[in-house]
Amino acid sequence: MDKEERKIINQGQEDEMEIYGYNLSRWKLAIVSLGVICTGGFLLLLLYWMPEWRVKATCVRAAIKDCDVVLLRTTDEFKMWFCAKIRVLSLETHPISSPKSMSNKLSNGHAVCLTENPTGENRHGISKYSQAESQQIRYFTHHSVKYFWNDTIHNFDFLKGLDEGVSCTSIYEKHSAGLTKGMHAYRKLLYGVNEIAVKVPSVFKLLIKEVLNPFYIFQLFSVILWSTDEYYYYALAIVVMSIVSIVSSLYSIRKQYVMLHDMVATHSTVRVSVCRVNEEIEEIFSTDLVPGDVMVIPLNGTIMPCDAVLINGTCIVNESMLTGESVPVTKTNLPNPSVDVKGIGDELYNPETHKRHTLFCGTTVIQTRFYTGELVKAIVVRTGFSTSKGQLVRSILYPKPTDFKLYRDAYLFLLCLVAVAGIGFIYTIINSILNEVQVGVIIIESLDIITITVPPALPAAMTAGIVYAQRRLKKIGIFCISPQRINICGQLNLVCFDKTGTLTEDGLDLWGIQRVENARFLSPEENVCNEMLVKSQFVACLATCHSLTKIEGVLSGDPLDLKMFEAIGWILEEATEEETALHNRIMPTVVRPPKQLLPESTPAGNQEMELFELPAIYEIGIVRQFPFSSALQRMSVVARVLGDKKMDAYMKGAPEVIASLCKPETVPVDFQNVLEDFTKQGFRVIALAHRKLESKLTWHKVQNISRDAIENNMDFMGLIIMQNKLKQETPAVLEDLHKANIRTVMVTGDNMLTAVSVARDCGMILPQDKVIIAEALPPKDGKVAKINWHYADSLTQCSHPSAIASEATPVKLVHDSLEDLQMTRYHFAMNGKSFSVILEHFQDLVPKLMLHGTVFARMAPDQKTQLIEALQNVDYFVGMCGDGANDCGALKRAHGGISLSELEASVASPFTSKTPSISCVPNLIREGRAALITSFCVFKFMALYSIIQYFSVTLLYSILSNLGDFQFLFIDLAIILVVVFTMSLNPAWKELVAQRPPSGLISGALLFSVLSQIIICIGFQSLGFFWVKQQPWYEVWHPKSDACNATGNLLWNSSHLDNETELDEHNIQNYENTTVFFISSFQYLIVAIAFSKGKPFRQPCYKNYFFVFSVIFLYVFILFIMLYPVASVDQVLQIVCVPYQWRVTMLIIVLVNAFVSITVEESVDRWRKCCLPWALSCGKKIPKAKYMYLAQELLVDPEWPPKPQTTTEAKGLVKENGSCQIITIT
């Protein structure tokens, strides 16, 4: 087999990877070991940081089938490398491992899926053994997933459960009996333990991982070097800062692990009952479950330890962990195609398609319903990390890296500093050799120049702004578990919002009803709960047409149904188990009005009494329920009033759908107009219909009747108007974001029309904007996938098709700036199914739809994550604000995810808001912008500090001098650390502005600012250094030099000489040193002031009182010791006496330097604001962000946006690039 082979695993999936095989090479290992010893362990560190180098340095290429180690590389834009060791699972020791019993289970001991082959023979593995004696399976584990070698496809593949390639028929015929103990034990060997194991790493492990960060290694190197040079004080300061940084980092990482561990531990081990083949019930631990086990769901409910498909009975489940909606959902058994009349025998089971019949891991089964003598059973389809919850936890444990330009540029900038350090390193060595300096001194001084150029305090300085921002966020109730994300939040230009509980209050409120009598609408009524309506069909429909159930005596179910039922004030009574037993499959539920509503409770003198000749009890029994179907957009029930011979059919659902199923003569003529009026005001409208069924329809016939036979020929009864109230702060917050040029997108699990309506209400879609609904249909019956484009408003507005075409096509506006391009007047809306089809079949349309997609409805958790990625692919910086566990993946994937709940979502989310209000979003962005600008200021300042000190030292090296230890200490501790930690304290600006901070350090204005300051500082330092030599009093300094005599300052000189007990070995004390020290000390403070920017992202620096006080104090102190020397201070700092006239000259040099630096920095700012936009417009520069470039292209595209009533079809033949064509349907 070709040794250079490269294979792909997880092809076409999100975690697609290239895989290469390697075998360990002893001679390579020996060479690497030698290299590690020679480099003092540095090579080992390098190989630890680079897994690709580690494998290539110690192994040789091998065929994947026979390799010991695999090297994996992701195929996405990050191209990340991972390595994994091949392990062997031996079946020799297993009691059922004889070739005969296993011949139908494995292929060459290489796994992999519980599918069925075309002949229908169920092979619980793969094809047959090719060699009976080979009873070993090769596998490796990556990101908590096991990949087994599969001989059929000659590649590694992960073990699939019953969720792929198994038909609904075979679920009943082949899997419903359960597993034998032998088969269970064998599968357990392959699938392993059913648990989502989140191991909390020990503090020691985390410490090692954190300490081996390249920055900390460099700090360690610097500290050792300084210690050999007896520079202990600063070394100690750096050690203390590093320890504080490491401890805080360890605390937050470990806290995250513990939270995640606690979240998944709730259902990790419970006792469950399973059915075996001989119909015996065995009790096992949930960790022993395997796909194919038949699990008995207990009567009082449980937390599901796996994904399972229901084959017997009914369950009421709380799926808030998955959907974010804390609404109990009724799960029914999977339709058995062999029994059902529909004849869908070949349909494959899929957890997503059949989610109404699937119990998902982590969701809570509240209660079960069963029939006499039968247990509620479910077949386990997925276990462990393969389950829906397992995949969610994996996305939290192994998130994709977030690419941020600032950090990339920071590394690039450091490389530049390293290059500068390299030049200094070489210069120092050459200069020292020419001047015959000792070897030990040469080594220390040349390495010292590297630690000066690349400041070890840089990480701490960069972190300071983020730590302060984190503290300010905490004060306003926003908690952060990933501080590095604060900077990225400063760049956000698009925010996705969940709807329910985020933009709106939880649930809907009943606004009123509008009944129909004699095909005419009556005036709207607010109160449904009154005596006049108690016996009306309208109220009977509200009382019966729902999916409510009682759980522990409390009514629960869909909030919409709940609100309607509460509005009429009726009472619901469910059948007991004994009553259910009488009716086999029928579960009668009875509803009745409260006694006070019935006329018997009215006073005897009431004249209308005789109109109501009601029996003593007025009850309605719900005989059959057809649950709500999002595809049909309706639900219906068959009910019977106690004492009536005929049954009634009631139906409710989307008004257009209900009207189409009613007799035309019962639907009011102005139906469309009334409906449009309500929907335009943002109301959710539901229509009701009713009809009397024939008397020949008996109780038992109703149980087997098809839905279509009931749902037709109805009488239209009227409308229910519901209101989903926006939270009070929502419109104002969204307006602030729009003013700041930040796009807003709605991602919800709710209905499309409601979502569009809420988007209009909250200002996400302006009144004059058009909404284009993209309805994508997957390929079916040989036809290619297609998208139908509907214009949401124009469909009801215009009666003539020609009017639609002319009126509804959105206007393209020509904008002055690229930023405004996103404000064009059309928006795309689509549901989750359409989104998936578009991602799969219309890849070239995805970026265009991302540019104007505003409403994404009925989105599943993984689709939300895919949407975030699609937006990031067109270079948006995406924020996500949600409140449910269904938002977890999206919150983790977004550049800035903020959770409004402190439950599961907060584990995944970098930010959690204590107050469940979206007002935290602009606050987070403001703080992010302030932290980002602070990072830029600090980075620029630290760069200047490095270069100023580097140049000071280089100048002094030229005369074989250097800065003294206490001079270094004064600069590094008293000036740099104080300035860095106080200049980061500027709070964020009060409001969001339309301008955004730059995203990277490598920008024209920023580089010009840094370079101009470098040149100015170098110029004035050189001026002082060379000018002092030209002074008439100048001589090469020696202990008896008396330059101060000219000023009569004999006292200073004599006292100084008395203390001069030892010779100055390092030649620190000289006139050049003193001059360079004073000028450079002032320069650090000058650039600190020049770089401390305020508006428009931070408060002005004069409001940062700590910074102002620190700078003034340092200025005064340095000025004082320069103009009025104090002997003790001069002795400590190793400063020599210079004439007073030269001190004044130095002051003039410093003042001119300050004036030039601040003037240049201000002019750079002005140049950026005035000239840059002009230069861009002249040069017609192509924007860097893909979405801006795309917006420019679409402005001149005549085919975009799609015209109303057109269809876009995918080209069937060309699948690689997903190209498509537009066909207009006439």
Side-chain angles (χ1 to χ4, degrees):
M1 193 176 279
D2 179 18
K3 286 196 173 187
E4 295 302 308
E5 69 177 336
R6 178 199 73 157
K7 290 188 180 290
I8 303 278
I9 55 171
N10 303 331
Q11 195 149 16
Q13 293 174 38
E14 198 184 334
D15 51 354
E16 183 180 277
M17 288 178 288
E18 294 171 356
I19 178 168
Y20 306 87
Y22 282 87
N23 281 338
L24 207 62
S25 162
R26 291 191 176 180
W27 64 268
K28 277 193 171 187
L29 205 60
I31 293 171
V32 168
S33 307
L34 190 68
V36 168
I37 295 162
C38 295
T39 57
F42 182 70
L43 181 63
L44 194 66
L45 269 176
L46 204 62
L47 296 180
Y48 167 78
W49 293 328
M50 314 289 281
E52 178 202 1
W53 294 8
R54 181 164 76 243
V55 171
K56 288 182 178 177
T58 55
C59 304
V60 288
R61 282 296 290 272
I64 294 174
K65 187 181 177 182
D66 310 309
C67 63
D68 301 330
V69 177
V70 288
L71 192 59
L72 306 161
R73 184 171 80 155
T74 59
T75 55
D76 56 15
E77 71 272 24
F78 299 106
K79 301 274 186 280
M80 289 179 72
W81 290 93
F82 301 96
C83 64
K85 199 175 178 191
I86 297 287
R87 297 179 187 281
V88 176
L89 183 65
S90 177
L91 302 172
E92 306 266 347
T93 53
H94 204 272
I96 59 141
S97 62
S98 64
K100 188 181 172 188
S101 68
M102 294 187 57
S103 61
N104 66 333
K105 293 166 196 158
L106 279 177
S107 150
N108 197 11
H110 303 345
V112 157
C113 134
L114 297 175
T115 56
E116 47 212 290
N117 62 12
T119 60
E121 173 208 343
N122 185 32
R123 45 186 186 91
H124 300 291
I126 314 271
S127 51
K128 301 185 178 183
Y129 254 118
S130 49
Q131 299 167 339
E133 66 275 6
S134 167
Q135 293 182 3
Q136 292 188 326
I137 308 173
R138 296 160 51 73
Y139 73 95
F140 68 89
T141 308
H142 173 67
H143 284 180
S144 304
V145 175
K146 281 183 184 175
Y147 293 86
F148 291 84
W149 176 257
N150 181 348
D151 248 357
T152 354
I153 57 169
H154 293 290
N155 199 354
F156 282 96
D157 198 3
F158 64 89
L159 203 60
K160 299 173 183 73
L162 294 179
D163 55 322
E164 278 186 42
V166 180
S167 72
C168 295
T169 315
S170 72
I171 286 214
Y172 276 99
E173 290 177 2
K174 295 174 182 169
H175 298 283
S176 59
L179 301 174
T180 61
K181 286 193 177 181
M183 183 50 102
H184 173 269
Y186 166 69
R187 284 199 188 171
K188 171 100 189 288
L189 202 64
L190 280 182
Y191 284 96
V193 180
N194 169 36
E195 65 175 347
I196 300 167
V198 178
K199 288 175 184 156
V200 180
S202 66
V203 175
F204 180 71
K205 257 189 181 176
L206 284 173
L207 182 69
I208 295 297
K209 202 174 175 187
E210 189 71 18
V211 167
L212 293 182
N213 181 312
F215 261 128
Y216 290 127
I217 296 296
F218 180 66
Q219 283 181 332
L220 183 69
F221 161 74
S222 304
V223 165
I224 293 167
L225 181 69
W226 293 330
S227 301
T228 57
D229 203 17
E230 297 175 4
Y231 186 35
Y232 300 117
Y233 300 100
Y234 189 58
L236 187 67
I238 289 291
V239 166
V240 169
M241 282 194 309
S242 300
I243 288 171
V244 169
S245 173
I246 289 169
V247 167
S248 66
S249 179
L250 284 188
Y251 174 74
S252 64
I253 292 170
R254 191 172 162 82
K255 190 179 168 190
Q256 258 180 288
Y257 271 111
V258 170
M259 278 172 75
L260 189 59
H261 177 267
D262 293 349
M263 170 187 150
V264 295
T266 49
H267 64 272
S268 55
T269 312
V270 288
R271 292 193 81 85
V272 291
S273 300
V274 291
C275 297
R276 291 283 173 240
V277 171
N278 51 6
E279 293 191 6
E280 67 169 292
I281 304 287
E282 185 188 352
E283 198 170 81
I284 60 170
F285 281 112
S286 60
T287 46
D288 294 331
L289 287 171
V290 294
D293 267 331
V294 177
M295 180 181 167
V296 178
I297 312 292
L299 177 67
N300 55 349
T302 182
I303 292 176
M304 286 302 293
C306 58
D307 286 355
V309 59
L310 205 55
I311 54 164
N312 230 356
T314 309
C315 292
I316 293 160
V317 185
N318 182 340
E319 288 193 319
S320 61
M321 207 286 307
L322 277 182
T323 62
E325 314 285 329
S326 55
V327 177
V329 182
T330 303
K331 301 274 183 171
T332 54
N333 57 319
L334 184 76
N336 187 346
S338 56
V339 177
D340 272 24
V341 284
K342 288 179 186 173
I344 48 163
D346 294 326
E347 188 183 8
L348 291 177
Y349 165 72
N350 180 296
E352 272 309 303
T353 320
H354 298 101
K355 61 181 174 193
R356 279 279 181 195
H357 317 292
T358 307
L359 305 168
F360 293 102
C361 179
T363 61
T364 309
V365 177
I366 304 167
Q367 68 179 38
T368 60
R369 301 261 184 84
F370 61 92
Y371 323 122
T372 317
E374 289 191 39
L375 296 168
V376 178
K377 295 180 190 173
I379 297 176
V380 177
V381 290
R382 295 186 295 206
T383 56
F385 277 102
S386 304
T387 61
S388 47
K389 184 162 186 175
Q391 287 163 4
L392 175 70
V393 173
R394 275 186 71 216
S395 73
I396 295 169
L397 279 175
Y398 314 108
K400 271 191 174 180
T402 307
D403 194 24
F404 189 43
K405 204 163 177 285
L406 172 72
Y407 300 130
R408 273 182 293 148
D409 288 356
Y411 284 114
L412 212 79
F413 200 80
L414 279 175
L415 282 176
C416 295
L417 288 178
V418 168
V420 171
I423 296 165
F425 181 77
I426 294 162
Y427 166 77
T428 308
I429 291 173
I430 293 168
N431 188 53
S432 302
I433 290 169
L434 290 175
N435 288 285
E436 297 172 5
V437 180
Q438 290 175 357
V439 176
V441 177
I442 294 177
I443 292 169
I444 287 175
E445 286 194 343
S446 53
L447 289 175
D448 205 19
I449 203 105
I450 294 175
T451 65
I452 287 168
T453 322
V454 184
L458 187 64
M462 290 290 281
T463 310
I466 295 170
V467 169
Y468 295 144
Q470 197 174 354
R471 269 181 26 203
R472 289 195 297 270
L473 284 171
K474 201 170 181 179
K475 276 183 189 170
I476 53 174
I478 299 170
F479 296 90
C480 173
I481 57 169
S482 178
Q484 293 303 326
R485 296 280 182 118
I486 297 175
N487 268 344
I488 304 178
C489 287
Q491 276 297 311
L492 297 184
N493 52 9
L494 184 148
V495 183
C496 295
F497 291 98
D498 181 39
K499 183 184 73 70
T500 315
T502 304
L503 295 172
T504 62
E505 301 288 354
D506 276 317
L508 292 149
D509 293 317
L510 185 74
W511 179 84
I513 61 167
Q514 190 151 17
R515 291 185 299 133
V516 168
E517 272 185 18
N518 304 325
R520 286 191 176 181
F521 278 115
L522 303 177
S523 54
E525 298 162 78
E526 272 188 43
N527 190 13
V528 198
C529 184
N530 63 40
E531 292 173 24
M532 299 299 293
L533 295 175
V534 77
K535 204 190 172 191
S536 67
Q537 298 291 6
F538 195 94
V539 168
C541 183
L542 286 173
T544 56
C545 199
H546 53 70
S547 55
L548 298 177
T549 183
K550 275 201 169 170
I551 294 167
E552 293 173 6
V554 179
L555 258 189
S556 60
D558 187 287
L560 185 80
D561 290 346
L562 208 54
K563 280 275 189 253
M564 289 184 195
F565 195 75
E566 284 169 357
I568 56 171
W570 282 40
I571 296 155
L572 178 131
E573 286 178 353
E574 282 185 325
T576 60
E577 284 168 40
E578 292 77 21
E579 288 172 315
T580 304
L582 299 173
H583 306 292
N584 187 16
R585 281 184 173 262
I586 302 150
M587 297 171 264
T589 298
V590 173
V591 289
R592 55 184 168 79
K595 285 178 182 171
Q596 60 267 30
L597 273 184
L598 290 171
E600 283 84 350
S601 64
T602 56
N606 193 332
Q607 295 167 356
E608 293 182 21
M609 186 63 194
E610 65 268 24
L611 296 177
F612 292 92
E613 292 297 330
L614 284 171
I617 302 171
Y618 176 60
E619 282 185 349
I620 305 175
I622 300 168
V623 181
R624 174 100 195 260
Q625 192 185 82
F626 296 100
F628 175 77
S629 154
S630 51
L632 300 173
Q633 293 189 311
R634 63 181 183 269
M635 79 164 288
S636 56
V637 291
V638 176
R640 177 153 69 182
V641 178
L642 189 73
D644 272 16
K645 287 183 180 174
K646 290 187 178 180
M647 294 192 195
D648 297 277
Y650 296 107
M651 179 167 66
K652 75 167 189 215
E656 298 90 342
V657 177
I658 300 297
S660 68
L661 296 170
C662 289
K663 297 174 196 162
E665 63 270 19
T666 64
V667 180
V669 185
D670 57 347
F671 166 74
Q672 284 287 14
N673 297 334
V674 171
L675 176 62
E676 195 183 315
D677 283 346
F678 284 127
T679 49
K680 275 193 169 174
Q681 292 172 59
F683 290 117
R684 170 107 174 253
V685 184
I686 288 146
L688 305 183
H690 156 261
R691 82 173 164 107
K692 278 269 181 211
L693 298 177
E694 303 81 20
S695 53
K696 64 177 182 184
L697 271 176
T698 62
W699 188 285
H700 285 280
K701 277 185 183 170
V702 166
Q703 297 312 312
N704 300 311
I705 198 167
S706 76
R707 187 167 187 161
D708 299 338
I710 297 288
E711 295 176 341
N712 63 43
N713 222 20
M714 309 282 265
D715 294 337
F716 191 80
M717 288 201 297
L719 305 171
I720 306 167
I721 297 105
M722 308 292 287
Q723 195 176 15
N724 191 192
K725 285 182 183 165
L726 282 176
K727 285 187 177 174
Q728 206 175 342
E729 66 279 358
T730 297
V733 169
L734 294 184
E735 193 183 352
D736 284 351
L737 293 174
H738 288 155
K739 280 181 185 169
N741 268 344
I742 294 169
R743 236 185 92 187
T744 52
V745 169
M746 188 190 295
V747 193
T748 175
D750 206 340
N751 167 290
M752 162 87 75
L753 295 170
T754 312
V756 171
S757 158
V758 171
R760 283 201 180 284
D761 287 354
C762 64
M764 207 176 264
I765 298 173
L766 299 173
Q768 68 274 19
D769 294 357
K770 298 291 173 200
V771 177
I772 306 169
I773 293 175
E775 183 200 359
L777 304 168
K780 201 176 182 185
D781 305 330
K783 291 179 182 174
V784 291
K786 60 178 181 178
I787 307 172
N788 296 323
W789 308 100
H790 307 296
Y791 277 51
D793 313 316
S794 56
L795 291 180
T796 51
Q797 280 171 358
C798 313
S799 48
H800 305 294
S802 59
I804 293 177
S806 61
E807 204 176 308
T809 308
V811 184
K812 287 188 184 179
L813 304 172
V814 181
H815 302 286
D816 296 333
S817 78
L818 291 173
E819 285 298 319
D820 294 334
L821 282 171
Q822 52 188 275
M823 305 305 287
T824 40
R825 292 169 50 187
Y826 60 96
H827 304 261
F828 289 107
M830 67 193 75
N831 61 24
K833 279 184 185 169
S834 295
F835 178 69
S836 290
V837 172
I838 290 167
L839 275 188
E840 192 176 342
H841 300 282
F842 298 90
Q843 283 145 17
D844 57 345
L845 278 186
V846 174
K848 295 181 183 182
L849 291 171
M850 290 306 104
L851 199 63
H852 291 288
T854 302
V855 176
F856 296 85
R858 294 272 183 244
M859 296 286 274
D862 58 327
Q863 289 171 336
K864 289 186 177 186
T865 312
Q866 287 168 346
L867 173 68
I868 300 288
E869 284 178 7
L871 288 163
Q872 288 172 337
N873 288 342
V874 287
D875 294 345
Y876 276 113
F877 281 94
V878 185
M880 169 77 197
C881 181
D883 66 338
N886 59 326
D887 301 317
C888 279
L891 288 166
K892 191 85 177 172
R893 186 70 195 100
H895 290 107
I898 182 158
S899 160
L900 301 186
S901 98
E902 293 185 46
L903 302 171
E904 287 104 337
S906 62
V907 178
S909 177
F911 303 95
T912 304
S913 171
K914 218 170 188 181
T915 49
S917 147
I918 64 164
S919 54
C920 60
V921 174
N923 288 338
L924 177 64
I925 297 173
R926 281 190 309 107
E927 287 298 347
R929 288 179 172 188
L932 187 56
I933 288 298
T934 300
S935 294
F936 284 140
C937 293
V938 168
F939 213 98
K940 284 161 73 176
F941 176 70
M942 291 303 279
L944 259 293
Y945 149 61
S946 300
I947 298 296
I948 292 169
Q949 197 170 74
Y950 167 77
F951 200 73
S952 302
V953 171
T954 310
L955 281 175
L956 294 172
Y957 274 3
S958 69
I959 57 160
L960 299 184
S961 177
N962 198 352
L963 289 171
D965 282 358
F966 281 96
Q967 288 177 344
F968 270 125
L969 201 64
F970 176 74
I971 291 168
D972 292 346
L973 278 185
I975 301 180
I976 303 305
L977 287 190
V978 169
V979 167
V980 160
F981 289 119
T982 55
M983 84 187 293
S984 304
L985 282 168
N986 286 31
W989 188 243
K990 297 184 284 290
E991 60 207 32
L992 274 179
V993 291
Q995 186 188 344
R996 267 203 315 278
S999 59
L1001 289 162
I1002 315 296
S1003 69
L1006 210 137
L1007 285 178
F1008 184 76
S1009 162
V1010 171
L1011 290 172
S1012 57
Q1013 293 299 333
I1014 288 173
I1015 291 163
I1016 293 163
C1017 292
I1018 286 175
F1020 282 100
Q1021 260 198 63
S1022 306
L1023 177 69
F1025 180 80
F1026 292 113
W1027 198 3
V1028 72
K1029 293 183 177 184
Q1030 308 305 316
Q1031 299 306 306
W1033 46 264
Y1034 175 80
E1035 62 178 334
V1036 174
W1037 192 88
H1038 51 86
K1040 293 179 182 175
S1041 293
D1042 55 353
C1044 293
N1045 270 352
T1047 61
N1049 195 357
L1050 283 167
L1051 179 68
W1052 180 91
N1053 206 31
S1054 57
S1055 68
H1056 194 86
L1057 283 173
D1058 293 341
N1059 291 321
E1060 194 63 55
T1061 52
E1062 57 182 74
L1063 276 169
D1064 181 8
E1065 278 180 34
H1066 297 290
N1067 184 25
I1068 304 294
Q1069 290 174 304
N1070 53 58
Y1071 300 121
E1072 291 93 333
N1073 169 293
T1074 301
T1075 304
V1076 166
F1077 171 72
F1078 278 126
I1079 292 175
S1080 65
S1081 294
F1082 277 111
Q1083 282 180 337
Y1084 299 124
L1085 296 175
I1086 291 164
V1087 291
I1089 291 168
F1091 287 155
S1092 278
K1093 298 282 192 327
K1095 279 177 72 172
F1097 305 115
R1098 303 196 304 167
Q1099 300 275 12
C1101 72
Y1102 58 78
K1103 286 198 174 179
N1104 180 352
Y1105 304 118
F1106 285 105
F1107 176 68
V1108 172
F1109 173 76
S1110 306
V1111 169
I1112 290 173
F1113 176 78
L1114 285 167
Y1115 260 126
V1116 169
F1117 177 74
I1118 299 166
L1119 206 60
F1120 180 76
I1121 62 168
M1122 186 172 90
L1123 296 178
Y1124 299 99
V1126 179
S1128 56
V1129 173
D1130 282 1
Q1131 191 184 343
V1132 169
L1133 291 176
Q1134 292 174 281
I1135 294 169
V1136 299
C1137 178
V1138 291
Y1140 188 76
Q1141 176 195 348
W1142 180 243
R1143 296 170 195 274
V1144 174
T1145 310
M1146 283 195 290
L1147 179 61
I1148 293 165
I1149 291 172
V1150 166
L1151 290 173
V1152 174
N1153 185 348
F1155 174 75
V1156 173
S1157 284
I1158 289 166
T1159 309
V1160 168
E1161 187 61 22
E1162 286 299 312
S1163 55
V1164 167
D1165 255 15
R1166 290 218 176 97
W1167 170 73
R1168 198 180 70 216
K1169 283 172 191 166
C1170 313
C1171 308
L1172 207 60
W1174 175 79
L1176 282 177
S1177 60
C1178 288
K1180 296 284 180 204
K1181 190 182 171 190
I1182 296 170
K1184 281 184 185 172
K1186 285 181 195 163
Y1187 72 89
M1188 285 186 177
Y1189 175 66
L1190 199 62
Q1192 270 187 344
E1193 275 193 342
L1194 293 183
L1195 269 182
V1196 291
D1197 185 349
E1199 295 295 323
W1200 198 262
K1203 306 283 184 293
Q1205 314 302 82
T1206 56
T1207 298
T1208 303
E1209 287 190 354
K1211 283 180 185 168
L1213 299 172
V1214 193
K1215 282 187 179 175
E1216 290 79 24
N1217 60 2
S1219 57
C1220 50
Q1221 59 190 16
I1222 293 188
I1223 299 160
T1224 306
I1225 305 286
T1226 49

